[in-house]
Amino acid sequence: MSKEQVQVAIAILYRNNQFLMQLRDDIPTIPYPAHWALFGGHIEPGETPEIAVEREILEEIGYVLPPFAKFGCYPDETVVRHVFHAPLLVELDQLVLNEGWDMGLLTPDDIRKGKFYSANAGAEKPIGSAAQQILLEFMEISH
């Protein structure tokens, strides 16, 4: 491990067998630009992953997480992803997208296909490989 891995906390938010995902901004300097990903972000110094995921979801979509559970931890060369899951108990129009290009509820078929249409982008956009892997595992275990 050459440099310290970034620690992030992300959430699988589900409703009616669909998964809420964020289309990341199309900025070449960020990981997975213009890809669908899970909501969440960096764990700040002194934060636990649990506190970070609650803060990030509130910041990104204005959603107060209901009781949630840890799904797993996914480390790779650059990042350690702490993954939680919780139900999405509100309609999409009750969320405010404060970060990202778009958001949408993706079906298991969309996730397996690896791409999803964004009205904001006016095109199908790929699902980030890490998010796709996590969701495929989650769907397998939760059914």
Side-chain angles (χ1 to χ4, degrees), residues 60-72:
E60 291 184 356
I61 54 175
Y63 184 54
V64 175
L65 278 180
F68 60 93
K70 183 135 191 184
F71 177 60

Side-chain angles (χ1 to χ4, degrees), residues 67-97:
F68 60 93
K70 183 135 191 184
F71 177 60
C73 190
Y74 289 77
D76 66 23
E77 301 77 44
T78 56
V79 62
V80 177
R81 294 175 180 87
H82 299 268
V83 184
F84 299 90
H85 64 96
L88 182 64
L89 303 173
V90 299
E91 296 295 332
L92 218 52
D93 62 12
Q94 292 178 265
L95 301 174
V96 180
L97 184 66

Side-chain angles (χ1 to χ4, degrees), residues 9 12 14 21 26 29 31 42 44 49 52 61 70 75 108-109 113 128 130 136 142:
I12 299 169
Y14 48 86
M21 296 193 80
D26 194 3
T29 53
H42 289 88
E44 303 292 340
I61 54 175
K70 183 135 191 184
D109 282 344
K113 195 171 67 174
L136 288 171
S142 60

Side-chain angles (χ1 to χ4, degrees), residues 7 132-133:
Q7 301 270 334
Q132 185 184 30
Q133 176 205 345

Side-chain angles (χ1 to χ4, degrees), residues 44-65:
E44 303 292 340
E47 268 184 340
T48 63
E50 291 77 7
I51 289 170
V53 76
E54 288 183 291
R55 176 184 51 75
E56 284 286 345
I57 299 304
L58 188 59
E59 284 175 7
E60 291 184 356
I61 54 175
Y63 184 54
V64 175
L65 278 180

Side-chain angles (χ1 to χ4, degrees), residues 106-124:
L106 282 65
T107 66
D109 282 344
D110 296 323
I111 291 156
R112 283 189 278 271
K113 195 171 67 174
K115 54 187 188 242
F116 185 70
Y117 181 81
S118 161
N120 289 2
E124 272 195 331

